[in-house]
Amino acid sequence: MLKILRAILHFFTIELARKILAVIFAFGLWLFVVIEGTYSYEKQIKVIFTNLPDAYIATNLIDKIKVTFNGKGKVLMGLWLSPPRAICDLTDVVPGKNVISTKNFEIPVKDVLVDYEVKYVNIEVDEKVTKVIKPLIPIRGSLKNGYSISTIEVLDTLSATGPKKILQGLNWVNTESLDVKNQSATFEKKLKVETISEFVKFSKDNILVKVIIDTTEQRLFTKIPVNVVKNQGQVVKVFDPYIDTIIVIGAQNRISSITKDIITVRVKTTDLVSGEYYLTPEITLPDFFTPLSYQPQRVKVLVY
């Protein structure tokens, strides 16, 4: 019995220790071979763009690029644990399309060769401009009966900074809807400005507006001429060349400023073939004024 116990003790002390040491030695030998060997390691790494001149803005920068690292295992292991970033210098770019060789990218690593999946990247650059933008304010809800909006004053100046190509055609930007439900007195409200592009930055996220409200009044106008919008070469005869009467409603403090010459009535025949039609006229009035009623409600035209 004592011999058996000694054999077991010998196994768990001497033999097991030898086996553990052998495993540790084998692992160390394997690790040495691995870290001293030469390998390839493929990885998507982040691209950082630097030194873009303040007068320009880039509109299509890539986020990542695939590269292959070639080097010893001990170096590649470090790259695996802490992936580097590729740095692209934009000092010399010009407006328009810029073709940049990936050979000019810098990756802050030593003792490793780098191969890029692509040889060139295209960077679109535009001039950076700033301009004042007018807010376009959608309205929802209805005022209390007997009240109208006189005007909406924008109390903040809103400017936008971004690519010239985008901003040169941008004059208006939408805000969130202005809720006027059951309002009967002048009030102020902050409205959020809608985002239009990741490249366009507004001077403010919200603008303050003042909604001036007054009691509703109406005015009667007569003999408003009907304008015809037609195709070139199209011949149109209008049997009802005037709107005989039109009642306009709006804020009492502004309704006296409405004159006949700023009321526009028109019918469109651009999509019509030859024939006789009864068309609903389109009536255009200054902001916050609406036609309560008008006669005739349809205009008879003959298209040749």
Side-chain angles (χ1 to χ4, degrees):
M1 185 67 179
L2 185 59
K3 288 183 179 181
I4 295 174
L5 290 175
R6 285 177 179 174
I8 294 173
L9 182 62
H10 177 77
F11 174 80
F12 280 104
T13 55
I14 306 301
E15 295 299 327
L16 185 58
R18 287 176 181 173
K19 293 181 184 297
I20 292 174
L21 287 174
V23 170
I24 293 173
F25 177 77
F27 175 76
L29 183 61
W30 171 82
L31 185 61
F32 175 78
V33 172
V34 167
I35 63 177
E36 289 301 320
T38 300
Y39 304 92
S40 293
Y41 171 53
E42 191 175 82
K43 176 71 175 176
Q44 287 266 8
I45 64 172
K46 190 171 181 62
V47 181
I48 303 297
F49 295 91
T50 62
N51 299 323
L52 178 66
D54 290 338
Y56 298 149
I57 186 168
T59 58
N60 69 331
L61 298 180
I62 61 173
D63 183 55
K64 292 184 177 181
I65 191 169
K66 184 182 287 188
V67 299
T68 301
F69 298 102
N70 299 280
K72 288 190 174 182
K74 58 184 178 182
V75 178
L76 299 184
M77 187 175 294
L79 300 182
W80 177 77
L81 293 172
S82 180
R85 297 180 177 185
I87 301 171
C88 178
D89 191 323
L90 299 179
T91 301
D92 298 324
V93 295
V94 296
K97 181 179 178 180
N98 294 262
V99 180
I100 299 177
S101 172
T102 51
K103 290 181 179 179
N104 296 325
F105 285 18
E106 292 185 14
I107 299 181
V109 294
K110 296 180 179 180
D111 302 323
V112 66
L113 296 176
V114 179
D115 290 323
Y116 293 90
E117 183 183 41
V118 295
K119 296 184 181 296
Y120 300 94
V121 295
N122 295 321
I123 306 297
E124 290 288 341
V125 173
D126 199 356
E127 294 179 50
K128 184 193 294 183
V129 298
T130 299
K131 66 182 292 188
V132 174
I133 303 294
K134 294 181 180 180
L136 187 62
I137 304 170
I139 296 175
R140 60 184 173 91
S142 300
L143 300 175
K144 282 188 177 179
N145 191 32
Y147 292 89
S148 296
I149 295 176
S150 172
T151 187
I152 297 178
E153 297 178 0
V154 179
L155 303 181
D156 291 319
T157 299
L158 182 67
S159 62
T161 300
K164 182 179 179 180
K165 189 176 294 185
I166 295 177
L167 291 188
Q168 65 184 359
L170 182 69
N171 297 310
W172 300 84
V173 62
N174 285 330
T175 69
E176 64 177 309
S177 295
L178 172 66
D179 188 359
V180 299
K181 184 178 180 180
N182 291 328
Q183 296 285 353
S184 60
T186 297
F187 67 97
E188 293 184 358
K189 178 74 174 179
K190 273 194 171 290
L191 300 174
K192 185 177 180 181
V193 178
E194 290 189 357
T195 301
I196 62 167
S197 168
E198 62 179 306
F199 304 112
V200 176
K201 306 299 181 185
F202 290 106
S203 57
K204 296 178 180 294
D205 295 327
N206 300 274
I207 58 169
L208 180 65
V209 299
K210 184 176 183 179
V211 185
I212 299 175
I213 295 175
D214 200 358
T215 54
T216 299
E217 191 169 305
Q218 62 185 42
R219 283 187 65 188
L220 173 68
F221 297 89
T222 61
K223 291 292 182 180
I224 308 297
V226 176
N227 299 297
V228 179
V229 180
K230 59 184 179 178
N231 292 324
Q232 186 176 3
Q234 192 177 49
V235 178
V236 179
K237 179 180 179 181
V238 182
F239 291 91
D240 304 301
Y242 293 95
I243 296 295
D244 293 330
T245 61
I246 178 171
I247 298 175
V248 176
I249 62 171
Q252 183 273 333
N253 65 346
R254 284 186 59 208
I255 196 125
S256 61
S257 66
I258 301 297
T259 58
K260 185 190 299 189
D261 61 306
I262 62 175
I263 301 175
T264 301
V265 179
R266 66 179 188 173
V267 291
K268 294 178 65 175
T269 62
T270 52
D271 297 329
L272 302 179
V273 297
S274 298
E276 186 177 277
Y277 300 90
Y278 289 85
L279 305 177
T280 300
E282 177 185 308
I283 299 174
T284 303
L285 292 163
D287 289 343
F288 312 120
F289 288 94
T290 56
L292 177 63
S293 64
Y294 55 90
Q295 292 295 334
Q297 295 188 350
R298 289 182 179 274
V299 176
K300 181 182 177 181
V301 300
L302 181 62
V303 180
Y304 296 93

mmCIF file of all heavy atoms in Angstrom, residues 232-253:
data_model
loop_
_atom_site.group_PDB
_atom_site.id
_atom_site.type_symbol
_atom_site.label_atom_id
_atom_site.label_comp_id
_atom_site.label_asym_id
_atom_site.label_seq_id
_atom_site.Cartn_x
_atom_site.Cartn_y
_atom_site.Cartn_z
ATOM 1 N N GLN A 232 -46.091 77.056 -76.155
ATOM 2 C CA GLN A 232 -45.743 77.887 -77.303
ATOM 3 C C GLN A 232 -46.461 77.358 -78.548
ATOM 4 O O GLN A 232 -46.438 76.164 -78.848
ATOM 5 C CB GLN A 232 -44.230 77.890 -77.517
ATOM 6 C CG GLN A 232 -43.775 78.838 -78.607
ATOM 7 C CD GLN A 232 -42.258 78.887 -78.718
ATOM 8 O OE1 GLN A 232 -41.553 78.169 -78.027
ATOM 9 N NE2 GLN A 232 -41.772 79.731 -79.608
ATOM 10 N N GLY A 233 -47.148 78.236 -79.243
ATOM 11 C CA GLY A 233 -47.885 77.842 -80.440
ATOM 12 C C GLY A 233 -49.297 77.392 -80.161
ATOM 13 O O GLY A 233 -50.091 77.188 -81.095
ATOM 14 N N GLN A 234 -49.647 77.233 -78.889
ATOM 15 C CA GLN A 234 -51.000 76.806 -78.540
ATOM 16 C C GLN A 234 -51.945 78.019 -78.586
ATOM 17 O O GLN A 234 -51.616 79.090 -78.060
ATOM 18 C CB GLN A 234 -51.006 76.191 -77.132
ATOM 19 C CG GLN A 234 -52.267 75.458 -76.770
ATOM 20 C CD GLN A 234 -52.149 74.818 -75.376
ATOM 21 O OE1 GLN A 234 -51.757 75.476 -74.422
ATOM 22 N NE2 GLN A 234 -52.467 73.541 -75.297
ATOM 23 N N VAL A 235 -53.086 77.847 -79.198
ATOM 24 C CA VAL A 235 -54.080 78.925 -79.308
ATOM 25 C C VAL A 235 -55.220 78.608 -78.340
ATOM 26 O O VAL A 235 -55.798 77.516 -78.384
ATOM 27 C CB VAL A 235 -54.616 79.073 -80.741
ATOM 28 C CG1 VAL A 235 -55.669 80.171 -80.801
ATOM 29 C CG2 VAL A 235 -53.472 79.362 -81.696
ATOM 30 N N VAL A 236 -55.536 79.585 -77.472
ATOM 31 C CA VAL A 236 -56.565 79.369 -76.454
ATOM 32 C C VAL A 236 -57.533 80.553 -76.469
ATOM 33 O O VAL A 236 -57.112 81.719 -76.439
ATOM 34 C CB VAL A 236 -55.947 79.230 -75.043
ATOM 35 C CG1 VAL A 236 -57.050 79.034 -74.006
ATOM 36 C CG2 VAL A 236 -54.964 78.076 -75.007
ATOM 37 N N LYS A 237 -58.818 80.259 -76.507
ATOM 38 C CA LYS A 237 -59.849 81.287 -76.381
ATOM 39 C C LYS A 237 -60.482 81.178 -75.006
ATOM 40 O O LYS A 237 -60.933 80.094 -74.605
ATOM 41 C CB LYS A 237 -60.914 81.117 -77.462
ATOM 42 C CG LYS A 237 -62.031 82.155 -77.368
ATOM 43 C CD LYS A 237 -63.074 81.950 -78.466
ATOM 44 C CE LYS A 237 -64.198 82.980 -78.341
ATOM 45 N NZ LYS A 237 -65.239 82.784 -79.388
ATOM 46 N N VAL A 238 -60.521 82.306 -74.266
ATOM 47 C CA VAL A 238 -61.106 82.331 -72.920
ATOM 48 C C VAL A 238 -62.476 83.000 -73.011
ATOM 49 O O VAL A 238 -62.587 84.173 -73.383
ATOM 50 C CB VAL A 238 -60.195 83.092 -71.935
ATOM 51 C CG1 VAL A 238 -60.805 83.064 -70.539
ATOM 52 C CG2 VAL A 238 -58.795 82.491 -71.931
ATOM 53 N N PHE A 239 -63.511 82.259 -72.634
ATOM 54 C CA PHE A 239 -64.871 82.802 -72.686
ATOM 55 C C PHE A 239 -65.172 83.662 -71.447
ATOM 56 O O PHE A 239 -66.055 84.515 -71.489
ATOM 57 C CB PHE A 239 -65.897 81.665 -72.788
ATOM 58 C CG PHE A 239 -65.858 80.945 -74.106
ATOM 59 C CD1 PHE A 239 -65.043 79.833 -74.288
ATOM 60 C CD2 PHE A 239 -66.615 81.389 -75.176
ATOM 61 C CE1 PHE A 239 -65.004 79.167 -75.498
ATOM 62 C CE2 PHE A 239 -66.580 80.726 -76.402
ATOM 63 C CZ PHE A 239 -65.766 79.615 -76.567
ATOM 64 N N ASP A 240 -64.427 83.385 -70.356
ATOM 65 C CA ASP A 240 -64.624 84.153 -69.117
ATOM 66 C C ASP A 240 -63.292 84.818 -68.759
ATOM 67 O O ASP A 240 -62.530 84.293 -67.945
ATOM 68 C CB ASP A 240 -65.068 83.230 -67.971
ATOM 69 C CG ASP A 240 -66.326 82.442 -68.318
ATOM 70 O OD1 ASP A 240 -67.341 83.088 -68.607
ATOM 71 O OD2 ASP A 240 -66.261 81.194 -68.293
ATOM 72 N N PRO A 241 -62.975 85.962 -69.368
ATOM 73 C CA PRO A 241 -61.657 86.566 -69.177
ATOM 74 C C PRO A 241 -61.462 87.229 -67.817
ATOM 75 O O PRO A 241 -60.358 87.655 -67.494
ATOM 76 C CB PRO A 241 -61.593 87.608 -70.304
ATOM 77 C CG PRO A 241 -63.015 87.969 -70.561
ATOM 78 C CD PRO A 241 -63.812 86.723 -70.321
ATOM 79 N N TYR A 242 -62.524 87.291 -66.989
ATOM 80 C CA TYR A 242 -62.418 87.907 -65.672
ATOM 81 C C TYR A 242 -63.084 87.032 -64.617
ATOM 82 O O TYR A 242 -64.062 86.322 -64.904
ATOM 83 C CB TYR A 242 -63.103 89.287 -65.637
ATOM 84 C CG TYR A 242 -62.421 90.323 -66.491
ATOM 85 C CD1 TYR A 242 -62.858 90.558 -67.804
ATOM 86 C CD2 TYR A 242 -61.363 91.082 -65.996
ATOM 87 C CE1 TYR A 242 -62.252 91.506 -68.600
ATOM 88 C CE2 TYR A 242 -60.746 92.035 -66.790
ATOM 89 C CZ TYR A 242 -61.187 92.247 -68.087
ATOM 90 O OH TYR A 242 -60.569 93.188 -68.866
ATOM 91 N N ILE A 243 -62.536 87.106 -63.399
ATOM 92 C CA ILE A 243 -63.264 86.629 -62.233
ATOM 93 C C ILE A 243 -64.114 87.809 -61.782
ATOM 94 O O ILE A 243 -63.583 88.865 -61.416
ATOM 95 C CB ILE A 243 -62.316 86.164 -61.115
ATOM 96 C CG1 ILE A 243 -61.504 84.958 -61.567
ATOM 97 C CG2 ILE A 243 -63.088 85.837 -59.831
ATOM 98 C CD1 ILE A 243 -62.329 83.723 -61.839
ATOM 99 N N ASP A 244 -65.421 87.665 -61.835
ATOM 100 C CA ASP A 244 -66.307 88.807 -61.565
ATOM 101 C C ASP A 244 -66.155 89.323 -60.140
ATOM 102 O O ASP A 244 -66.038 90.532 -59.918
ATOM 103 C CB ASP A 244 -67.769 88.404 -61.824
ATOM 104 C CG ASP A 244 -68.026 88.137 -63.300
ATOM 105 O OD1 ASP A 244 -67.341 88.759 -64.139
ATOM 106 O OD2 ASP A 244 -68.889 87.301 -63.614
ATOM 107 N N THR A 245 -66.152 88.395 -59.172
ATOM 108 C CA THR A 245 -66.014 88.811 -57.762
ATOM 109 C C THR A 245 -65.141 87.806 -57.020
ATOM 110 O O THR A 245 -65.163 86.595 -57.318
ATOM 111 C CB THR A 245 -67.384 88.881 -57.052
ATOM 112 O OG1 THR A 245 -67.998 87.577 -57.065
ATOM 113 C CG2 THR A 245 -68.288 89.898 -57.700
ATOM 114 N N ILE A 246 -64.399 88.313 -56.064
ATOM 115 C CA ILE A 246 -63.614 87.466 -55.194
ATOM 116 C C ILE A 246 -63.570 88.105 -53.814
ATOM 117 O O ILE A 246 -63.350 89.315 -53.691
ATOM 118 C CB ILE A 246 -62.179 87.240 -55.742
ATOM 119 C CG1 ILE A 246 -61.366 86.376 -54.772
ATOM 120 C CG2 ILE A 246 -61.469 88.542 -56.005
ATOM 121 C CD1 ILE A 246 -60.027 85.928 -55.335
ATOM 122 N N ILE A 247 -63.846 87.300 -52.793
ATOM 123 C CA ILE A 247 -63.789 87.775 -51.406
ATOM 124 C C ILE A 247 -62.526 87.208 -50.772
ATOM 125 O O ILE A 247 -62.307 85.992 -50.740
ATOM 126 C CB ILE A 247 -65.027 87.335 -50.611
ATOM 127 C CG1 ILE A 247 -66.282 87.954 -51.235
ATOM 128 C CG2 ILE A 247 -64.903 87.760 -49.149
ATOM 129 C CD1 ILE A 247 -67.579 87.493 -50.591
ATOM 130 N N VAL A 248 -61.666 88.097 -50.285
ATOM 131 C CA VAL A 248 -60.390 87.729 -49.671
ATOM 132 C C VAL A 248 -60.482 87.936 -48.171
ATOM 133 O O VAL A 248 -61.016 88.963 -47.704
ATOM 134 C CB VAL A 248 -59.242 88.586 -50.249
ATOM 135 C CG1 VAL A 248 -57.928 88.273 -49.532
ATOM 136 C CG2 VAL A 248 -59.113 88.342 -51.748
ATOM 137 N N ILE A 249 -59.994 86.972 -47.403
ATOM 138 C CA ILE A 249 -59.968 87.123 -45.942
ATOM 139 C C ILE A 249 -58.529 87.069 -45.448
ATOM 140 O O ILE A 249 -57.670 86.412 -46.034
ATOM 141 C CB ILE A 249 -60.819 86.051 -45.232
ATOM 142 C CG1 ILE A 249 -60.280 84.639 -45.520
ATOM 143 C CG2 ILE A 249 -62.271 86.159 -45.623
ATOM 144 C CD1 ILE A 249 -60.947 83.563 -44.668
ATOM 145 N N GLY A 250 -58.283 87.797 -44.339
ATOM 146 C CA GLY A 250 -56.952 87.820 -43.741
ATOM 147 C C GLY A 250 -56.946 88.710 -42.517
ATOM 148 O O GLY A 250 -57.998 89.180 -42.051
ATOM 149 N N ALA A 251 -55.749 88.958 -41.991
ATOM 150 C CA ALA A 251 -55.607 89.766 -40.779
ATOM 151 C C ALA A 251 -56.072 91.194 -41.023
ATOM 152 O O ALA A 251 -55.741 91.807 -42.045
ATOM 153 C CB ALA A 251 -54.165 89.747 -40.306
ATOM 154 N N GLN A 252 -56.811 91.730 -40.052
ATOM 155 C CA GLN A 252 -57.397 93.067 -40.181
ATOM 156 C C GLN A 252 -56.333 94.139 -40.384
ATOM 157 O O GLN A 252 -56.533 95.091 -41.146
ATOM 158 C CB GLN A 252 -58.246 93.371 -38.931
ATOM 159 C CG GLN A 252 -58.969 94.707 -38.951
ATOM 160 C CD GLN A 252 -58.122 95.852 -38.417
ATOM 161 O OE1 GLN A 252 -57.230 95.620 -37.599
ATOM 162 N NE2 GLN A 252 -58.398 97.071 -38.872
ATOM 163 N N ASN A 253 -55.164 93.995 -39.748
ATOM 164 C CA ASN A 253 -54.142 95.050 -39.837
ATOM 165 C C ASN A 253 -53.377 95.035 -41.156
ATOM 166 O O ASN A 253 -52.554 95.910 -41.402
ATOM 167 C CB ASN A 253 -53.170 94.957 -38.658
ATOM 168 C CG ASN A 253 -52.350 93.673 -38.663
ATOM 169 O OD1 ASN A 253 -52.676 92.739 -39.393
ATOM 170 N ND2 ASN A 253 -51.307 93.614 -37.859
#
